[in-house]
């Protein structure tokens, strides 16, 4: 791919969080920001929330300590920046590895910039991925202001390990109709690097519904770490057993979260919808 | 394709108006609305403003009178409804016919539900398409209200043949910063079937800039008939010669409009960016 013109791709999504996967077994492709932006451009390129470069861990010298996983998930955001981990992306990555024969068992490890993660591809092709531990921030002064006409909502800070503020709304508020374009999170110093904000309601026992506004992206259809954050807060505040799955409905579908051996696991759909070749414009090839 | 599972596609765009092209040489595919919606779904499917089924005119009995064109452009909107014609789509359709070898010369006819159109694929792979005649509506009472702080703007009604209202803004208004979410067109009875509204400024001699709000879609990156409408109004009101191209900048790029032998011609880019296969979900296959 030194002279890059055509590039083989697979497109997939998990709860409407969508990705362009590019298998690069020889580790020849060093993506430029322009190439990633073009691949993710929904009108002038292929379209996606991010690009996942599928590369052998043995070809990524800086992550030699992750050699227990055969494949490394090189995740890029749609703006071309590098991301450590993406829970929905990891499930689609795992489904791809199995579907393409790069892995042959249904349980294996994957390598990411956030370290090793266990994955399980179930019989129904739902995929579970280990997400590490969530840590609740030890402060109780975080609030979300939804604007005129709403009471201040208390929020809980959680690191998964990226920062989240979980705001549980009373049942009198219509979660689906709520405008989420102009809320504010206080105090200013609580999240110096920005925060993902989840608005949550309890639907029934171990069943939550959320909307999420991601830092840098605005409202999104789904957020894997956000689902973990809200389930973790709900588990901790309800006193419920932590060994049964909680369902978290997001605008793009449903996710399930459980704690096992001190780890959160995220389960949900992972669909591969298209494969083919893109032809880069000559200006960025 | 009676039992539809995999479908070969090509993705392309013209000024960021993007399409999924599906070649159906045997006319075996009768697309359902659900299939079109899924193909155009930007996150759970492939993504596009519309689907163009590429089918031999000889296989479309109801358009037997268009047999002078080898290929029929079966255009579907992203909601699954049928459309007569799309200027940007027609250019991408023409580029596809030449690139795939279905046409061998650079000038040919295409068939659409709006009749025959001539196309020319130029040496630089820009494509021109004949768009028929524009007709200015004979009423001078059409206005656009941009909201508080703005004077009422006089607008010109044009049929291309779909209805447009062309509002030429004074140079004191910032076209790029204008909010186009809450304007109103009056009087109510001027456009009983709805209207596409173009907001235009003159940049220099024969060079216009526009933004467009399409009926049923909201603001879009480009609109081929809209570019024809604004160029036509500008030609008619400036007294300029009609035999030189006018450049119309849209958010997605630039288009050029000229009148030749009583016909408007639209010229602009037509890019093919990817090809491959989609796998329909079993629920809609």
């Amino acid at each position: 791919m030194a002279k890059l013109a055509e590039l083989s791709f697979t497109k997939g999504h998990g709860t409407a969080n969508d990705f362009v996967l590019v298998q690069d077994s020889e580790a020849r492709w060093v993506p430029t920001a322009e190439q990633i932006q073009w691949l993710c451009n929904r009108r002038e390129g292929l379209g996606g929330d991010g690009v996942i470069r599928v590369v052998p861990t043995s070809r990524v010298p800086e992550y030699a300590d992750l050699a227990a996983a055969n494949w490394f998930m090189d995740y890029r955001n749609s703006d071309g920046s590098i991301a450590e981990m993406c829970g929905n992306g990891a499930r689609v990555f795992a489904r791809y590895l199995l579907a393409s024969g790069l892995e042959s068992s249904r349980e294996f490890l994957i390598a990411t910039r956030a370290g090793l993660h266990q994955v399980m591809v179930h019989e129904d092709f739902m995929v579970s991925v280990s997400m590490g531990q969530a840590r609740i921030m030890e402060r109780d002064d975080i609030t979300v202001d939804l604007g005129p006409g709403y009471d201040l909502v208390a929020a809980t800070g959680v690191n998964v390990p990226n920062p989240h503020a979980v705001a549980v709304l009373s049942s009198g508020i219509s979660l689906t109709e709520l405008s989420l374009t102009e809320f504010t999170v206080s105090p200013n110093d609580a999240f110096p690097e920005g925060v993902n904000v989840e608005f949550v309601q309890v639907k029934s026992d171990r069943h939550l519904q959320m909307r999420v506004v991601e830092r840098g992206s605005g409202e999104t259809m789904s957020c894997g770490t956000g689902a973990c954050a809200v389930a973790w807060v709900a588990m901790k505040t309800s006193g419920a057993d932590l060994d049964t799955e909680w369902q978290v409905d997001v605008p793009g579908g449903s996710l399930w979260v459980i704690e096992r051996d001190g780890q959160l696991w995220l389960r949900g759909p992972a669909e591969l919808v298209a494969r083919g070749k893109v032809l880069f414009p000559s200006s960025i090839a």
Side-chain angles (χ1 to χ4, degrees), chain A:
Chain A
M1 290 188 224
K3 181 60 183 170
L4 188 82
E6 282 200 337
L7 192 69
S8 293
F9 72 89
T10 297
K11 189 169 190 291
H13 79 95
T15 53
N17 197 187
D18 66 328
F19 312 97
V20 178
L21 298 106
V22 178
Q23 186 175 329
D24 186 16
S25 300
E26 309 290 322
R28 286 188 188 164
W29 181 35
V30 182
T32 66
E34 288 73 21
Q35 289 170 345
I36 299 295
Q37 289 162 11
W38 184 83
L39 283 170
C40 290
N41 187 311
R42 296 189 181 278
R43 294 174 173 279
E44 298 179 36
L46 197 57
D49 290 327
V51 171
I52 298 175
R53 185 170 150 264
V54 181
V55 60
T57 311
S58 60
R59 299 277 194 172
V60 192
E62 61 270 42
Y63 291 99
D65 57 321
L66 307 182
N70 294 324
W71 294 91
F72 180 82
M73 176 172 97
D74 176 7
Y75 187 88
R76 314 279 173 134
N77 297 310
S78 60
D79 64 0
S81 63
I82 283 171
E84 290 210 318
M85 167 61 181
C86 169
N88 289 324
R91 292 200 318 280
V92 176
F93 179 67
R95 175 92 194 254
Y96 175 83
L97 293 178
L98 186 65
S100 59
L102 298 181
E103 293 284 358
S104 53
S105 92
R106 285 177 174 267
E107 293 192 38
F108 49 91
L109 289 169
I110 62 171
T112 76
R113 290 191 177 85
L116 292 171
H117 294 263
Q118 285 182 274
V119 294
M120 286 188 285
V121 182
H122 304 281
E123 289 296 325
D124 58 0
F125 292 104
M126 300 278 273
V127 181
S128 293
V129 55
S130 65
M131 297 289 285
Q133 293 180 311
R135 286 188 195 81
I136 290 184
M137 291 169 65
E138 291 186 6
R139 57 189 298 168
D140 57 6
D141 61 342
I142 302 170
T143 56
V144 176
D145 184 353
L146 289 166
Y150 292 99
D151 293 333
L152 273 188
V153 182
T156 305
V158 194
N159 291 304
V160 198
N162 57 348
H164 293 262
V166 176
V168 181
L169 303 181
S170 66
S171 58
I173 296 175
S174 170
L175 180 60
T176 50
E177 291 172 20
L178 199 59
S179 168
L180 296 181
T181 52
E182 297 194 11
F183 67 90
T184 53
V185 180
S186 299
N188 281 331
D189 66 353
F191 302 100
E193 297 178 353
V195 64
N196 307 288
V197 187
E198 285 81 26
F199 300 88
V200 195
Q201 278 179 331
V202 178
K203 293 190 76 171
S204 60
D205 183 41
R206 296 188 175 79
H207 187 178
L208 309 170
Q209 181 174 10
M210 82 176 210
R211 286 171 64 191
V212 56
V213 178
E214 296 190 55
R215 55 176 175 177
S217 301
E219 183 167 11
T220 59
M221 299 295 280
S222 181
C223 176
T225 56
C228 290
V230 304
W232 184 246
V233 169
M235 287 170 183
K236 287 298 182 191
T237 55
S238 70
D241 289 339
L242 305 182
D243 56 354
T244 308
E245 276 191 329
W246 285 64
Q247 178 175 340
V248 182
D249 294 346
V250 295
S254 293
L255 295 164
W256 289 264
V257 180
I258 193 170
E259 191 196 28
R260 236 184 255 134
D261 305 326
Q263 286 249 24
L264 288 176
W265 283 78
L266 178 71
R267 183 171 68 88
E271 304 292 341
L272 305 176
V273 301
R275 64 176 186 280
K277 293 185 177 192
V278 293
L279 185 66
F280 278 102
S282 55
S283 58
I284 64 169

